[in-house]
Amino acid sequence: MKKIIQSVLVVAFGLICATSCIEEIDPQDSTVTGDQANEAPGAFDNFVNALTATLTGQFTYSGDDHTPFDYGYPSFYLMRDVMGQDIALASSGSWYQTWYTCGTSLGPQYAYCQYPWTYYYGWIKDCNTVLSLAGEEPESDKIEGAGLAYAMRAMFYMDLARMFAQQTYGLDKNSETVPIVTEFTSVEDLAYNPRATNEEMWDFILSDLDKAEQYLADYTRSDVYTPDVSVVYGLKARAYLVMEDWANAEKYAKMAQTGYSIMTSEEYTSRETGFNTPNSSWMFGLTFKSNDPNILENDADSSWGSHMILEINPTVSGCGYASNYGYPNMIDRHLYETIPATDFRKNCFVDFALDELSSKDEIVEGLEAYSDYPEWVYTTGYDGQAGVVGGLSLKFRAAGGVEGHNNQYIGFTVAVPIMRVEEMYLIEAEAAGMQNESNGIALLTQFAQTRDASYVYGTHTDTYGNQSTSLFQNEIWWQRRVEFWGEGLATFDIKRLNKGIIRSYPNTNHVESYRWNTTTPPDWMNLCIVQSETNYNYSCTNNPTPIRPSSESEEYIW
């Protein structure tokens, strides 16, 4: 699918025009001045509120076309996560198949390549607008708004850096990320704006986070849908983890934990509120609202819930790509089989052994261990593209109780986590262990035993092609893969740890023809920059167009 696309040059040009016009153009030219924008009642606060309000819920790219994956920030979780092995699609007909199959549309001349560019630089534009209005030395009533803009901009550039850099910071500080556009970038600069190196980008991210930390020091938020200083600490922990600055990663991960508690078994596996409602472990999240276009239009099928939530009544509602259209996202069979039965997180995924039972009645009875609607889950599996129930995910539940299960407009109006305190505990453990392994093992074991009281260190030894990472780091990585399955961190970790992927192995549940094994991060994890950007930004290079493997890999023997 090709369509006319716009470059960051155009997006940013709109930003520069908007900010420069706000500052310079006379009122008779029908463009407000900066003073007018600042003096309009509530205007600055409205700009600030938009920083998080636009994360999801809108058809930002496709508009009236209602593309099913055009629902904002959490859609990028799936685009990234299906590139590896931890999520197995039910079939190549999934809306996320391009990213799973290394599709042609990942090339720079295609619209799919435009999605991250449009979304992320649009969000960055919003941050730059707030910072332009706030000024270099914000007045007291604009300090917190500026702090939020710095925090969000850092998060967006952090994602972009990890999606576009061909090598992680720890391997190559000079690997190119993306062009940096700020509130000070001129129109002339945009035509000759090179991609920042890893070192330049992560220094810039940290400078934004330093300002966010300063400006949000006394800020108290009303809910988890807006970042506060604890989230800034969490973002710093993420940044220092990538940069392998272990002391600072440990320091900020520890600071970020204050005021939160690790999710309990009951919270993690709740059939009513599991991963659809913030709890004491959620540091930052987003939420769909009942009046969002993503919910109101296209039968609410252009939403996170449509792709990730099962248990939607097939007769009364009949909607949902995962629940009723045959395209659920499933856990990789090998990853599932490495989770001990004593680890409660295993209960989020249907046991593959159920498919070996001899009758529907037995299978439905077995599904009662996972769902209050076992007949519906049976239908999802056996009437859908998967043809099985083993590996189905019930981690993300429908909202709204019984009513939500019967009405997708309610069931899909869910919250989605962006950052949880569990990530901070695992960053702290990894960073501590990279300085003193015994300290890291102790912290890791302490965390792991909150999930599995019988946890024994040293059992998760799969290297995925990279023998240089220690047993300790492999154990941390395994915990992250299980803990944050479906939450958008998988590809970031594969690239950071320089791991390969393994989809081809005996009894794999990955889609036939796409069972590939690599010993390093596959090329399709390095996103291409949309061609219109490189056409008009003369200093911007591009990543190579990924080439799909010509055949399946030989089965890997674990």
Side-chain angles (χ1 to χ4, degrees):
M1 176 179 66
K2 291 186 179 180
K3 68 180 293 184
I4 297 173
I5 50 184
Q6 62 181 20
S7 69
V8 68
L9 176 61
V10 177
V11 174
F13 182 81
L15 162 64
I16 300 302
C17 287
T19 56
S20 61
C21 288
I22 282 175
E23 294 169 353
E24 299 173 5
I25 301 301
D26 291 333
Q28 61 264 33
D29 289 328
S30 74
T31 304
V32 297
T33 65
D35 287 341
Q36 287 175 318
N38 280 318
E39 292 169 4
F44 182 76
D45 290 340
N46 289 338
F47 283 119
V48 173
N49 292 337
L51 298 177
T52 51
T54 59
L55 285 176
T56 198
Q58 313 295 317
F59 291 99
T60 297
Y61 183 83
S62 64
D64 292 340
D65 288 344
H66 295 154
T67 301
F69 52 74
D70 185 8
Y71 55 86
Y73 197 76
S75 188
F76 290 100
Y77 292 7
L78 293 181
M79 292 178 191
R80 293 193 298 262
D81 282 3
V82 302
M83 290 179 170
Q85 72 271 312
D86 291 351
I87 290 181
L89 298 185
S91 85
S92 59
S94 165
W95 277 100
Y96 289 92
Q97 62 87 18
T98 293
W99 295 274
Y100 181 81
T101 67
C102 185
T104 303
S105 297
L106 292 181
Q109 70 271 39
Y110 291 90
Y112 281 31
C113 214
Q114 179 71 41
Y115 265 83
W117 221 246
T118 294
Y119 263 106
Y120 275 90
Y121 278 101
W123 288 324
I124 289 167
K125 169 187 175 295
D126 293 341
C127 296
N128 289 342
T129 298
V130 169
L131 293 172
S132 179
L133 294 174
E136 292 188 62
E137 298 293 335
E139 296 179 3
S140 59
D141 61 337
K142 293 183 174 62
I143 284 178
E144 292 173 350
L148 294 172
Y150 279 122
M152 295 300 293
R153 188 170 72 176
M155 186 181 81
F156 297 138
Y157 274 120
M158 195 178 299
D159 286 356
L160 286 170
R162 292 179 289 179
M163 289 191 289
F164 285 89
Q166 294 185 62
Q167 295 283 347
T168 185
Y169 183 100
L171 290 178
D172 184 1
K173 293 180 182 180
N174 292 317
S175 186
E176 294 183 326
T177 61
V178 296
I180 295 174
V181 178
T182 75
E183 69 275 26
F184 301 113
T185 305
S186 70
V187 174
E188 292 76 17
D189 291 338
L190 294 172
Y192 297 93
N193 191 15
R195 296 167 67 183
T197 65
N198 265 326
E199 187 168 30
E200 292 166 341
M201 176 59 78
W202 291 95
D203 284 348
F204 173 76
I205 288 167
L206 287 176
S207 70
D208 269 8
L209 291 175
D210 285 342
K211 292 173 185 174
E213 183 178 357
Q214 175 188 347
Y215 291 164
L216 296 178
D218 299 319
Y219 171 66
T220 301
R221 59 182 176 176
S222 59
D223 54 47
V224 301
Y225 304 127
T226 301
D228 66 1
V229 73
S230 70
V231 177
V232 175
Y233 296 152
L235 291 171
K236 280 194 165 186
R238 285 180 175 178
Y240 285 122
L241 182 72
V242 172
M243 298 171 73
E244 299 183 359
D245 182 340
W246 306 118
N248 274 317
E250 179 184 10
K251 170 187 172 182
Y252 281 99
K254 183 67 174 177
M255 292 170 66
Q257 295 165 22
T258 302
Y260 301 98
S261 56
I262 292 176
M263 210 181 295
T264 65
S265 170
E266 292 74 21
E267 290 171 323
Y268 202 103
T269 61
S270 171
R271 296 186 181 187
E272 294 302 321
T273 60
F275 290 90
N276 66 29
T277 303
N279 55 44
S280 60
S281 86
W282 286 34
M283 299 173 62
F284 187 27
L286 55 82
T287 188
F288 287 85
K289 298 178 290 296
S290 60
N291 61 348
D292 283 340
N294 284 151
I295 297 298
L296 291 177
E297 301 169 20
N298 195 32
D299 296 325
D301 278 328
S302 301
S303 70
W304 171 260
S306 180
H307 295 279
M308 294 301 283
I309 292 172
L310 307 186
E311 303 176 306
I312 299 298
N313 192 319
T315 304
V316 175
S317 166
C319 291
Y321 279 97
S323 189
N324 290 304
Y325 301 161
Y327 299 100
N329 295 297
M330 309 169 81
I331 189 171
D332 169 66
R333 181 165 189 156
H334 177 71
L335 179 59
Y336 175 84
E337 290 175 344
T338 63
I339 307 175
T342 49
D343 189 323
F344 67 71
R345 295 172 297 189
K346 194 165 192 169
N347 297 324
C348 291
F349 309 101
V350 176
D351 193 338
F352 289 83
L354 290 189
D355 292 312
E356 299 173 8
L357 298 176
S358 58
S359 69
K360 175 182 176 179
D361 288 345
E362 289 179 289
I363 295 172
V364 169
E365 183 179 357
L367 288 170
E368 292 174 0
Y370 307 93
S371 173
D372 293 332
Y373 306 91
E375 288 272 0
W376 301 353
V377 177
Y378 179 94
T379 299
T380 292
Y382 285 102
D383 289 356
Q385 295 294 317
V388 295
V389 294
L392 289 176
S393 167
L394 288 136
K395 176 177 177 177
F396 301 94
R397 303 284 183 160
V402 173
E403 191 174 3
H405 290 288
N406 287 309
N407 182 345
Q408 81 276 10
Y409 297 104
I410 296 171
F412 294 164
T413 306
V414 296
V416 183
I418 296 174
M419 180 183 289
R420 295 196 282 119
V421 75
E422 290 84 355
E423 183 185 357
M424 299 302 113
Y425 279 92
L426 288 171
I427 291 177
E428 180 194 12
E430 182 174 355
M434 295 305 287
Q435 299 169 85
N436 182 312
E437 190 167 280
S438 62
N439 289 345
I441 291 172
L443 289 168
L444 169 59
T445 301
Q446 183 179 1
F447 172 83
Q449 288 179 345
T450 68
R451 272 67 186 114
D452 178 3
S454 302
Y455 171 81
V456 176
Y457 173 80
T459 57
H460 304 292
T461 59
D462 296 332
T463 62
Y464 286 80
N466 185 358
Q467 305 288 339
S468 65
T469 50
S470 63
L471 171 63
F472 167 72
Q473 265 192 307
N474 289 335
E475 281 277 354
I476 291 279
W477 181 42
W478 182 89
Q479 286 289 338
R480 289 173 63 94
R481 292 171 67 195
V482 175
E483 180 71 27
F484 305 113
W485 185 92
E487 296 181 53
L489 300 181
T491 284
F492 290 158
D493 280 345
I494 288 171
K495 294 180 73 172
R496 178 175 68 87
L497 296 169
N498 200 34
K499 297 291 188 179
I501 68 168
I502 299 177
R503 294 181 184 173
S504 178
Y505 55 86
N507 296 318
T508 184
N509 64 326
H510 281 278
V511 179
E512 191 173 353
S513 298
Y514 309 106
R515 296 169 178 171
W516 304 316
N517 300 336
T518 69
T519 56
T520 57
D523 289 345
W524 57 86
M525 288 184 176
N526 305 319
L527 299 188
C528 290
I529 292 173
V530 65
Q531 184 171 283
S532 55
E533 175 65 19
T534 56
N535 284 347
Y536 296 102
N537 178 353
Y538 304 112
S539 298
C540 186
T541 62
N542 212 335
N543 292 334
T545 300
I547 299 174
R548 176 184 293 174
S550 59
S551 62
E552 291 195 344
S553 300
E554 183 179 344
E555 288 186 347
Y556 181 85
I557 306 300
W558 301 101

